[in-house]
Amino acid sequence: MNIMKIRIYISLATVFLLAGCTKVLDKYDLNVVDDRIWEDEEQAILFVNNLYDTNMPEMSLGTNDAYSDESFSSTQTITDLLYGFYGPNNIDAVKELHKDNYRLIRQINICISGLEKSGLDENLKRPILGQALFLRAWRYWNMVKLYGGIPMVNRVQDPFQEPDLNIPRSKTSESIALIVEDLDRAIEFLPVDWTLDKDKGRITGGVAAALKGRVLLNWASPLFNRNNDGARWQSAYDANAKAVELLAQMRAPRALHPEFSSIFTVDVLNNTEAVFYRRYSAGAGADYTSGWEGRVR
């Protein structure tokens, strides 16, 4: 009798265990980025946070001399590029300055494509999408101002399905138009200011408008505007006026700093000239705080 009870208990336990198990091959791989993350606001924000980290300019901790245009750089090929000496070694400088651009643009495109197809509420989705659109414009502008027209890859290319991965170089005007289109959408989607302190440093509508103003001002300048087309100057003026208007609406309104001697000692959150910046916390380590300052002094 006792043996029968034991067998019944084992059978029942086995049934419950099997009912609670899932097939190994049916488990969700948490290490894979797929469309499910765009249905969750927090996961989408984490993806964009990583885009900030990989696309925002870094503090190079002493290596910036290689990119300085004040004198000849310690890296000769970069000096050749900055001074327009297009010698046989120039391709190395181009690789050094832009070797990761299209890899980073692919990551941004994955984000933009995922959010555009997402079922998230528009009020949640649009500010996240606006940040990604700005970063794509920022990444492309850093190439266009140096090379003029470039291949503009604004979709996620599939190396196994794409009939032709070699996208032709765009005209400079086409590249500028696509950058401005991204920035216009970013201005529309982004807030004038972020309400939470933890979000300070994120891109705002004013930041996007300021970059648009810079892009169009360069497009109107003699660098690109050889015939001095007055319409370009008007577009640049209108874009910069919009940027001034939006930046003035921030809780700490952005404008020229009243005293240049203290411009680098004012807290970045309250510095009136701090528009687009990378924040470092006090706990970021000595290299990013007082330790680095002490060494350079």
Side-chain angles (χ1 to χ4, degrees), residues 225-286:
N225 191 10
R226 302 298 171 85
N227 296 322
N228 199 28
D229 180 358
R232 293 194 195 179
W233 288 107
Q234 186 62 52
S235 295
Y237 176 86
D238 293 342
N240 281 285
K242 180 67 174 179
V244 170
E245 175 191 335
L246 290 174
L247 292 169
Q249 294 176 33
M250 297 179 67
R251 287 191 293 175
R254 268 36 183 176
L256 290 177
H257 197 276
E259 188 177 353
F260 185 77
S261 62
S262 62
I263 192 171
F264 296 112
T265 58
V266 177
D267 173 28
V268 71
L269 296 183
N270 299 306
N271 189 323
T272 57
E273 286 200 30
V275 174
F276 182 41
Y277 52 87
R278 179 190 281 257
R279 286 181 67 186
Y280 289 104
S281 69

Coordinates of all heavy atoms in Angstrom, one line a residue, residues 225-286:
N225 N 28.1 77.2 -51.4 CA 27.2 78.1 -52.2 C 28.0 79.0 -53.1 O 28.1 80.2 -52.9 CB 26.3 78.9 -51.2 CG 25.2 79.7 -51.9 OD1 24.9 79.5 -53.0 ND2 24.6 80.6 -51.1
R226 N 28.5 78.4 -54.2 CA 29.5 79.2 -55.0 C 28.8 80.3 -55.8 O 29.4 81.3 -56.1 CB 30.1 78.2 -56.0 CG 30.9 77.0 -55.4 CD 32.0 77.5 -54.5 NE 32.6 76.5 -53.7 CZ 33.6 75.7 -54.2 NH1 34.0 75.8 -55.4 NH2 34.1 74.7 -53.4
N227 N 27.5 80.1 -56.0 CA 26.7 81.2 -56.8 C 26.0 82.2 -55.8 O 25.2 83.0 -56.3 CB 25.7 80.5 -57.7 CG 26.4 79.7 -58.8 OD1 27.4 80.1 -59.3 ND2 25.8 78.6 -59.1
N228 N 26.3 82.0 -54.5 CA 25.7 82.9 -53.5 C 24.2 83.0 -53.6 O 23.6 84.1 -53.7 CB 26.3 84.3 -53.6 CG 26.1 85.1 -52.3 OD1 26.0 84.5 -51.3 ND2 26.0 86.4 -52.5
D229 N 23.5 81.8 -53.7 CA 22.1 81.7 -53.7 C 21.4 82.3 -52.5 O 21.6 81.8 -51.4 CB 21.7 80.3 -53.9 CG 20.2 80.1 -54.0 OD1 19.4 81.1 -53.9 OD2 19.7 78.9 -54.2
G230 N 20.7 83.4 -52.6 CA 20.1 84.1 -51.5 C 19.1 83.3 -50.7 O 18.9 83.4 -49.5
A231 N 18.4 82.3 -51.4 CA 17.4 81.5 -50.8 C 18.0 80.6 -49.7 O 17.4 80.3 -48.7 CB 16.7 80.6 -51.8
R232 N 19.3 80.2 -49.9 CA 20.0 79.4 -48.9 C 20.2 80.2 -47.6 O 20.1 79.7 -46.5 CB 21.3 78.8 -49.5 CG 21.1 77.8 -50.6 CD 22.4 77.1 -50.8 NE 22.5 76.4 -52.1 CZ 23.5 75.7 -52.5 NH1 24.6 75.7 -51.8 NH2 23.5 75.1 -53.7
W233 N 20.6 81.5 -47.8 CA 20.9 82.3 -46.7 C 19.6 82.5 -45.9 O 19.6 82.6 -44.6 CB 21.5 83.7 -47.1 CG 22.9 83.6 -47.6 CD1 23.3 83.7 -48.8 CD2 24.0 83.4 -46.8 NE1 24.7 83.5 -48.9 CE2 25.2 83.3 -47.6 CE3 24.2 83.2 -45.4 CZ2 26.5 83.2 -47.2 CZ3 25.5 83.0 -44.9 CH2 26.6 83.0 -45.8
Q234 N 18.5 82.7 -46.6 CA 17.2 82.9 -45.9 C 16.8 81.7 -45.1 O 16.3 81.8 -44.0 CB 16.1 83.3 -46.9 CG 14.8 83.6 -46.3 CD 14.8 84.9 -45.4 OE1 15.3 85.9 -45.8 NE2 14.4 84.7 -44.2
S235 N 17.0 80.5 -45.7 CA 16.7 79.2 -45.0 C 17.5 79.1 -43.8 O 17.1 78.7 -42.7 CB 16.9 78.1 -45.9 OG 16.0 78.1 -47.0
A236 N 18.8 79.5 -43.9 CA 19.7 79.4 -42.7 C 19.3 80.3 -41.6 O 19.3 80.0 -40.4 CB 21.1 79.7 -43.2
Y237 N 18.9 81.6 -42.0 CA 18.4 82.5 -41.0 C 17.2 82.0 -40.3 O 17.1 82.1 -39.1 CB 18.1 83.9 -41.7 CG 17.5 84.9 -40.8 CD1 18.4 85.7 -40.0 CD2 16.2 85.0 -40.7 CE1 17.8 86.6 -39.1 CE2 15.6 86.0 -39.8 CZ 16.5 86.8 -39.0 OH 15.9 87.7 -38.1
D238 N 16.2 81.5 -41.1 CA 15.0 81.0 -40.5 C 15.2 79.9 -39.5 O 14.6 79.8 -38.4 CB 14.0 80.6 -41.6 CG 13.5 81.8 -42.4 OD1 13.6 82.9 -42.0 OD2 13.0 81.5 -43.6
A239 N 16.1 79.0 -39.9 CA 16.4 77.8 -39.1 C 17.1 78.2 -37.8 O 16.7 77.7 -36.7 CB 17.3 76.8 -39.8
N240 N 18.0 79.2 -37.8 CA 18.7 79.6 -36.6 C 17.8 80.4 -35.7 O 17.9 80.4 -34.5 CB 19.9 80.4 -37.0 CG 21.1 79.5 -37.4 OD1 21.7 78.9 -36.5 ND2 21.4 79.4 -38.7
A241 N 16.9 81.2 -36.3 CA 15.9 82.0 -35.5 C 15.0 81.0 -34.8 O 14.6 81.3 -33.6 CB 15.1 82.9 -36.5
K242 N 14.6 79.9 -35.4 CA 13.8 78.9 -34.8 C 14.5 78.3 -33.6 O 14.0 78.0 -32.5 CB 13.4 77.8 -35.8 CG 12.5 76.7 -35.2 CD 11.1 77.2 -34.8 CE 10.2 76.1 -34.3 NZ 8.9 76.5 -33.9
A243 N 15.8 78.0 -33.8 CA 16.7 77.4 -32.8 C 16.7 78.3 -31.6 O 16.6 77.9 -30.4 CB 18.1 77.1 -33.3
V244 N 17.0 79.6 -31.8 CA 17.0 80.6 -30.7 C 15.7 80.6 -29.9 O 15.7 80.7 -28.7 CB 17.4 82.0 -31.3 CG1 17.2 83.1 -30.2 CG2 18.8 82.0 -31.8
E245 N 14.6 80.6 -30.7 CA 13.3 80.6 -30.0 C 13.1 79.4 -29.1 O 12.6 79.5 -28.0 CB 12.2 80.6 -31.1 CG 10.8 80.5 -30.6 CD 9.8 80.3 -31.8 OE1 10.1 80.7 -32.9 OE2 8.7 79.8 -31.5
L246 N 13.4 78.2 -29.6 CA 13.2 77.0 -28.8 C 14.1 76.9 -27.6 O 13.7 76.5 -26.5 CB 13.4 75.7 -29.7 CG 12.3 75.5 -30.8 CD1 12.7 74.3 -31.7 CD2 11.0 75.2 -30.1
L247 N 15.4 77.3 -27.8 CA 16.4 77.2 -26.8 C 16.1 78.2 -25.7 O 16.4 78.0 -24.5 CB 17.8 77.4 -27.3 CG 18.3 76.3 -28.2 CD1 19.6 76.7 -28.9 CD2 18.5 75.0 -27.4
A248 N 15.4 79.3 -26.0 CA 15.0 80.3 -25.0 C 13.9 79.8 -24.1 O 13.6 80.4 -23.1 CB 14.7 81.6 -25.7
Q249 N 13.2 78.8 -24.6 CA 12.0 78.3 -23.8 C 12.4 77.2 -22.8 O 11.6 76.8 -22.0 CB 11.0 77.6 -24.8 CG 10.4 78.6 -25.7 CD 9.4 78.0 -26.7 OE1 8.8 77.0 -26.4 NE2 9.4 78.5 -27.9
M250 N 13.7 76.8 -22.7 CA 14.1 75.9 -21.7 C 14.0 76.5 -20.3 O 14.1 77.7 -20.1 CB 15.5 75.4 -22.0 CG 15.7 74.7 -23.3 SD 17.4 74.1 -23.7 CE 17.6 72.9 -22.4
R251 N 14.0 75.6 -19.3 CA 13.8 76.1 -17.9 C 15.1 77.0 -17.5 O 15.0 77.9 -16.8 CB 13.6 75.0 -16.9 CG 12.2 74.4 -17.0 CD 12.0 73.4 -15.9 NE 12.8 72.2 -16.0 CZ 12.8 71.3 -15.1 NH1 12.1 71.4 -14.0 NH2 13.6 70.2 -15.2
A252 N 16.2 76.5 -18.0 CA 17.4 77.4 -18.0 C 17.7 77.9 -19.4 O 18.3 77.2 -20.2 CB 18.6 76.6 -17.4
P253 N 17.1 79.0 -19.8 CA 17.1 79.4 -21.2 C 18.5 79.5 -21.7 O 19.5 80.0 -21.1 CB 16.4 80.8 -21.1 CG 15.6 80.8 -19.9 CD 16.4 80.0 -18.9
R254 N 18.7 79.0 -23.0 CA 20.0 79.1 -23.6 C 20.2 80.4 -24.4 O 19.3 80.8 -25.1 CB 20.1 77.9 -24.6 CG 20.8 76.6 -24.0 CD 20.4 76.3 -22.6 NE 21.1 75.2 -22.1 CZ 21.1 74.7 -20.8 NH1 20.4 75.4 -19.9 NH2 21.7 73.7 -20.4
A255 N 21.3 81.0 -24.2 CA 21.7 82.2 -24.9 C 23.2 82.4 -24.7 O 23.9 81.5 -24.1 CB 20.9 83.4 -24.3
L256 N 23.8 83.5 -25.2 CA 25.2 83.7 -25.0 C 25.5 83.9 -23.5 O 24.7 84.5 -22.8 CB 25.6 85.0 -25.7 CG 25.6 84.9 -27.3 CD1 26.0 86.3 -27.9 CD2 26.6 83.8 -27.7
H257 N 26.6 83.3 -23.1 CA 26.9 83.4 -21.6 C 27.3 84.8 -21.3 O 28.1 85.5 -22.1 CB 28.1 82.4 -21.3 CG 28.3 82.2 -19.9 ND1 29.0 83.0 -19.1 CD2 27.8 81.2 -19.1 CE1 29.0 82.5 -17.8 NE2 28.3 81.4 -17.8
P258 N 26.9 85.4 -20.2 CA 27.1 86.8 -19.9 C 28.6 87.1 -19.6 O 29.0 88.2 -19.8 CB 26.2 87.1 -18.7 CG 26.0 85.7 -18.1 CD 26.0 84.8 -19.2
E259 N 29.4 86.1 -19.1 CA 30.7 86.3 -18.8 C 31.6 85.2 -19.3 O 31.6 84.1 -18.7 CB 30.9 86.5 -17.2 CG 32.2 86.9 -16.8 CD 32.3 87.1 -15.3 OE1 31.3 87.0 -14.6 OE2 33.4 87.4 -14.8
F260 N 32.4 85.5 -20.3 CA 33.2 84.4 -20.9 C 34.2 83.8 -20.0 O 34.5 82.6 -20.1 CB 33.9 85.0 -22.2 CG 34.6 83.9 -22.9 CD1 33.9 83.0 -23.8 CD2 36.0 83.7 -22.8 CE1 34.6 82.0 -24.5 CE2 36.7 82.8 -23.5 CZ 36.0 81.9 -24.4
S261 N 34.7 84.6 -19.0 CA 35.8 84.1 -18.1 C 35.3 82.9 -17.3 O 36.1 82.1 -16.8 CB 36.3 85.2 -17.2 OG 35.2 85.7 -16.4
S262 N 33.9 82.8 -17.1 CA 33.4 81.7 -16.2 C 32.6 80.7 -17.0 O 32.0 79.8 -16.4 CB 32.5 82.3 -15.1 OG 31.4 83.0 -15.7
I263 N 32.8 80.7 -18.4 CA 31.9 79.8 -19.2 C 32.2 78.4 -18.9 O 31.3 77.5 -19.0 CB 32.1 80.2 -20.7 CG1 31.0 79.5 -21.5 CG2 33.5 79.8 -21.2 CD1 31.0 80.0 -22.9
F264 N 33.4 78.0 -18.6 CA 33.8 76.6 -18.4 C 33.7 76.2 -16.9 O 34.0 75.0 -16.6 CB 35.2 76.3 -18.9 CG 35.2 76.5 -20.4 CD1 36.0 77.5 -21.0 CD2 34.5 75.7 -21.3 CE1 36.0 77.7 -22.3 CE2 34.6 75.9 -22.7 CZ 35.4 76.9 -23.2
T265 N 33.3 77.1 -16.0 CA 33.2 76.7 -14.6 C 31.8 76.6 -14.1 O 31.5 76.3 -13.0 CB 34.0 77.7 -13.8 OG1 33.5 79.0 -14.0 CG2 35.5 77.6 -14.1
V266 N 30.8 77.0 -14.9 CA 29.4 77.0 -14.6 C 28.9 75.6 -14.8 O 29.2 74.9 -15.8 CB 28.6 78.0 -15.4 CG1 27.1 77.9 -15.1 CG2 29.1 79.4 -15.1
D267 N 28.1 75.1 -13.9 CA 27.4 73.7 -14.0 C 26.8 73.6 -15.3 O 26.0 74.5 -15.7 CB 26.4 73.6 -12.9 CG 25.6 72.3 -13.0 OD1 26.1 71.3 -13.6 OD2 24.5 72.3 -12.6
V268 N 27.0 72.5 -16.1 CA 26.5 72.4 -17.4 C 25.0 72.4 -17.5 O 24.4 72.9 -18.5 CB 27.0 71.1 -18.0 CG1 26.4 69.8 -17.4 CG2 26.8 71.0 -19.5
L269 N 24.3 72.0 -16.4 CA 22.8 72.1 -16.5 C 22.3 73.5 -16.5 O 21.2 73.8 -16.9 CB 22.3 71.3 -15.3 CG 22.6 69.8 -15.3 CD1 21.9 69.1 -14.1 CD2 22.1 69.1 -16.6
N270 N 23.1 74.4 -16.0 CA 22.7 75.8 -15.9 C 23.5 76.8 -16.8 O 23.2 78.0 -16.8 CB 22.8 76.3 -14.4 CG 21.9 75.5 -13.5 OD1 20.7 75.4 -13.7 ND2 22.5 74.9 -12.4
N271 N 24.4 76.2 -17.5 CA 25.2 77.0 -18.4 C 24.4 77.4 -19.6 O 23.9 76.6 -20.3 CB 26.5 76.2 -18.8 CG 27.5 77.1 -19.6 OD1 27.1 78.0 -20.3 ND2 28.7 76.8 -19.3
T272 N 24.3 78.7 -19.8 CA 23.3 79.2 -20.9 C 23.8 78.8 -22.3 O 23.0 78.8 -23.2 CB 23.2 80.7 -20.8 OG1 24.4 81.3 -20.9 CG2 22.5 81.1 -19.5
E273 N 25.1 78.5 -22.4 CA 25.6 78.1 -23.7 C 25.7 76.6 -23.9 O 26.1 76.2 -25.0 CB 27.0 78.8 -24.0 CG 26.9 80.3 -24.3 CD 28.1 80.8 -25.0 OE1 28.7 80.1 -25.7 OE2 28.4 82.0 -24.7
A274 N 25.4 75.8 -22.9 CA 25.5 74.4 -23.0 C 24.2 73.9 -23.8 O 23.2 73.8 -23.2 CB 25.6 73.7 -21.7
V275 N 24.4 73.5 -25.0 CA 23.2 73.1 -25.9 C 23.3 71.6 -26.1 O 22.4 70.9 -25.8 CB 23.2 73.9 -27.2 CG1 22.1 73.3 -28.1 CG2 23.0 75.3 -27.0
F276 N 24.4 71.1 -26.6 CA 24.6 69.7 -26.9 C 25.8 69.2 -26.2 O 26.9 69.7 -26.5 CB 24.7 69.5 -28.5 CG 24.8 68.1 -28.9 CD1 24.1 67.1 -28.4 CD2 25.7 67.8 -30.0 CE1 24.2 65.8 -28.9 CE2 25.8 66.5 -30.5 CZ 25.1 65.5 -29.9
Y277 N 25.7 68.4 -25.2 CA 26.8 68.1 -24.4 C 26.7 66.6 -23.8 O 25.6 66.1 -23.8 CB 27.0 69.0 -23.2 CG 25.7 69.2 -22.4 CD1 25.4 68.3 -21.4 CD2 24.8 70.2 -22.7 CE1 24.2 68.5 -20.6 CE2 23.6 70.3 -22.0 CZ 23.3 69.5 -20.9 OH 22.1 69.6 -20.2
R278 N 27.8 66.1 -23.5 CA 27.9 64.7 -22.8 C 28.1 65.0 -21.3 O 29.1 65.6 -20.9 CB 29.0 63.9 -23.4 CG 29.1 62.5 -22.8 CD 30.4 61.8 -23.2 NE 30.3 61.2 -24.5 CZ 30.1 59.9 -24.7 NH1 30.0 59.1 -23.7 NH2 30.1 59.5 -26.0
R279 N 27.2 64.5 -20.5 CA 27.3 64.7 -19.1 C 28.1 63.6 -18.5 O 28.1 62.4 -18.9 CB 25.9 64.6 -18.4 CG 25.0 65.8 -18.6 CD 23.7 65.7 -17.9 NE 23.9 65.6 -16.5 CZ 22.8 65.4 -15.6 NH1 21.6 65.2 -16.1 NH2 23.0 65.4 -14.3
Y280 N 29.0 63.9 -17.5 CA 29.7 63.0 -16.7 C 29.3 63.2 -15.3 O 29.3 64.3 -14.8 CB 31.2 63.1 -16.9 CG 31.8 62.7 -18.2 CD1 32.1 63.7 -19.2 CD2 31.9 61.4 -18.6 CE1 32.6 63.3 -20.4 CE2 32.4 61.0 -19.8 CZ 32.7 62.0 -20.7 OH 33.2 61.6 -22.0
S281 N 29.1 62.1 -14.6 CA 28.7 62.2 -13.2 C 29.9 62.3 -12.3 O 31.0 62.0 -12.7 CB 27.8 61.0 -12.7 OG 28.7 59.9 -12.7
A282 N 29.7 62.8 -11.1 CA 30.8 63.0 -10.1 C 31.5 61.6 -9.8 O 32.6 61.5 -9.4 CB 30.4 63.6 -8.9
G283 N 30.7 60.5 -10.0 CA 31.3 59.2 -9.8 C 31.9 58.5 -11.0 O 32.1 57.3 -11.0
A284 N 32.1 59.3 -12.0 CA 32.6 58.7 -13.3 C 34.1 58.3 -13.2 O 34.5 57.6 -14.1 CB 32.4 59.7 -14.4
G285 N 34.8 58.7 -12.2 CA 36.2 58.3 -12.0 C 37.1 59.5 -12.2 O 36.7 60.5 -12.8
A286 N 38.3 59.4 -11.7 CA 39.2 60.5 -11.7 C 39.5 61.0 -13.1 O 39.8 62.2 -13.3 CB 40.5 60.1 -10.9

